[in-house]
Amino acid sequence: MVGGEAAAAVEELVSGVRQAADFAEQFRSYSESEKQWKARMEFILRHLPNYRDPPDGGGRLDQLLSLSMVWANHLFLGCSYNKDLLDKVMEMADGIEVEDLPQFATRSELMKKIVSFLEQRDGT
């Protein structure tokens, strides 16, 4: 009855994935688009086993949720953070593919464009 055992194992795996996704759903922000949430949920589910709160508390899950928001805010909103923090979340997100990300310019890049425009306009 190998087929029955394999089907039971697949059903157990699917059930576990559904439970994890249902658990993660409670952390979705009301302002997140479907694309943003799917990417952040993948980030959360990927690292959830390593960030489960210990029985005595400790806030490991809160830390994971915060890291997921830093990553999503950087990707989708262009927010900037400390280099070490960004390096950490980008490493944690390695392999998560998100299509059609917005492109952001830094303040320095914008200022260079403005200065260049003003110089061209004034002929200097």
Side-chain angles (χ1 to χ4, degrees):
M1 190 86 168
V2 174
E5 291 173 10
V10 167
E11 180 57 37
E12 184 178 330
L13 179 63
V14 168
S15 175
V17 169
R18 265 193 224 115
Q19 286 177 349
D22 289 345
F23 173 76
E25 189 66 35
Q26 67 184 310
F27 304 115
R28 182 177 184 173
S29 171
Y30 70 93
S31 63
E32 284 180 293
S33 71
E34 193 66 27
K35 178 168 63 170
Q36 291 168 340
W37 171 239
K38 287 202 179 299
R40 197 165 73 86
M41 183 170 65
E42 184 176 344
F43 185 101
I44 292 168
L45 292 177
R46 175 185 286 191
H47 298 287
L48 190 58
N50 299 325
Y51 282 86
R52 290 255 187 215
D53 284 340
D56 61 346
R60 299 270 300 150
L61 181 58
D62 285 343
Q63 183 182 19
L64 174 60
L65 296 174
S66 297
L67 292 168
S68 74
M69 288 303 295
V70 165
W71 176 69
N73 288 346
H74 175 69
L75 235 56
F76 295 106
L77 302 176
C79 297
S80 60
Y81 297 90
N82 169 288
K83 181 187 177 333
D84 292 337
L85 178 59
L86 274 179
D87 287 348
K88 177 180 178 128
V89 297
M90 296 310 283
E91 181 180 321
M92 290 174 75
D94 188 41
I96 298 176
E97 294 192 24
V98 183
E99 294 181 9
D100 302 322
L101 286 173
Q103 299 295 317
F104 299 100
T106 65
R107 182 181 180 280
S108 296
E109 292 168 339
L110 292 174
M111 292 304 293
K112 285 178 186 176
K113 286 181 181 180
I114 291 170
V115 168
S116 176
F117 171 78
L118 292 174
E119 288 175 347
Q120 288 176 358
R121 185 191 72 182
D122 296 338
T124 55

